[in-house]
Amino acid sequence: MSREMLNDKTFTAPELQPVDLGGGGTDTRRKVMTIRGTVARAFVLLVLAVAAATWGWQNALDIFQTSNVVLFAGFIGLIVLSIATARKPQIAPVTAPIYAIVMGAWAGAISALYEAAYPGIVLQAVFATFAVFLACLVLYVTRIVKVTDRFVFIALVAGGGIMLLYLATWILSLFGVRMPFINDPSPIGIALSVGICIVAAMFLFIDLRVIEEGATRQVPTFMSWYSAMGLLATLIWLYLEVLRLLGKIRG
């Protein structure tokens, strides 16, 4: 998901500021973002994603054998939804549920392939993902890990590099060129997957910071959907990378 929400202007846009009523007063009647509200919305999105993942799991064979175009279109759709929501957070209450459904179906189909090759791997990946999330949550709440601007910069650079690597791998595959260290169970391939999982975990810390800052600034409630969407995207990304890592280890 696009990380444009992590710049200095994230919560300073005019549409996110309290309405000035004149005489130094502000409109406090509007609904604002809260941590509890964001958690509730994230849970709703997770339920939608799991339901869609069930469908993707059950139809994985048909999707990969006869609907590769649909699968690719779904991936492009995820990118479009991410960019559109990052550009205009007000639409997050609409785009976030759609994103959760598409992402869930996409991840479910991929999970089914891994499970067919390595029985039990999906359950292992799910437990590992939530274990990492809980660890990140504890480390963030206790301030053992502090999400500084430098932390965010390093994560963004690393994340951008990973996206470029994936893009280059996909483009080269169109010409029959294979990059074996991406998926092969070699020491380099395993080390790469571990590094990507670490970067994904770093983005979890950033998501938590965004949620906390948004609630502190009392931005409009649509930012709860926006932040929940970002958290879901990071969780599923982490899950897929853990799945890939376990597949390499078992392979």
Side-chain angles (χ1 to χ4, degrees):
M1 181 179 177
S2 175
R3 295 292 163 176
E4 294 183 13
M5 62 182 178
L6 298 176
N7 56 50
D8 294 336
K9 298 180 180 179
T10 299
F11 298 112
T12 58
E15 63 270 19
L16 300 183
Q17 305 309 308
V19 178
D20 188 358
L21 300 179
T26 56
D27 184 3
T28 59
R29 295 172 299 173
R30 68 171 186 173
K31 294 183 179 180
V32 297
M33 174 181 174
T34 63
I35 293 179
R36 179 179 297 180
T38 304
V39 171
R41 287 163 176 79
F43 180 76
V44 170
L45 296 182
L46 183 61
V47 170
L48 290 175
V50 171
T54 302
W55 178 88
W57 179 290
Q58 295 172 344
N59 295 276
L61 188 61
D62 292 335
I63 291 174
F64 282 101
Q65 285 188 343
T66 63
S67 305
N68 281 331
V69 174
V70 174
L71 189 69
F72 179 72
F75 178 70
I76 296 300
L78 290 172
I79 296 177
V80 171
L81 285 171
S82 297
I83 295 176
T85 308
R87 295 289 185 182
K88 193 172 183 180
Q90 294 92 325
I91 65 175
V94 175
T95 57
I98 297 174
Y99 183 92
I101 293 171
V102 176
M103 175 64 94
W106 190 68
I110 294 174
S111 299
L113 293 187
Y114 273 92
E115 185 68 19
Y118 310 107
I121 193 173
V122 169
L123 190 60
Q124 294 174 351
V126 169
F127 276 117
T129 299
F130 278 98
V132 171
F133 172 71
L134 289 176
C136 291
L137 182 61
V138 171
L139 291 173
Y140 181 82
V141 171
T142 57
R143 294 299 190 264
I144 294 176
V145 173
K146 297 181 180 180
V147 185
T148 62
D149 291 341
R150 181 180 179 83
F151 183 101
V152 173
F153 175 77
I154 293 174
L156 289 175
V157 171
I162 292 169
M163 294 303 107
L164 288 176
L165 176 62
Y166 286 160
L167 179 61
T169 301
W170 175 72
I171 292 176
L172 290 174
S173 69
L174 298 178
F175 298 95
V177 179
R178 186 169 176 270
M179 300 177 69
F181 66 90
I182 297 294
N183 294 309
D184 285 1
S186 63
I188 295 178
I190 292 175
L192 177 64
S193 287
V194 171
I196 294 175
C197 288
I198 292 174
V199 174
M202 292 177 69
F203 275 105
L204 282 178
F205 285 111
I206 296 173
D207 288 328
L208 294 174
R209 169 184 162 178
V210 169
I211 292 172
E212 182 180 34
E213 186 173 352
T216 300
R217 290 175 177 264
Q218 294 190 324
V219 296
T221 189
F222 62 77
M223 291 299 290
S224 294
W225 286 106
Y226 182 63
S227 301
M229 179 178 170
L231 181 60
L232 177 73
T234 304
L235 277 174
I236 295 182
W237 176 35
L238 175 62
Y239 160 75
L240 291 174
E241 293 301 340
V242 170
L243 193 63
R244 186 199 297 264
L245 172 61
L246 294 176
K248 289 180 180 180
I249 294 173
R250 293 181 59 172

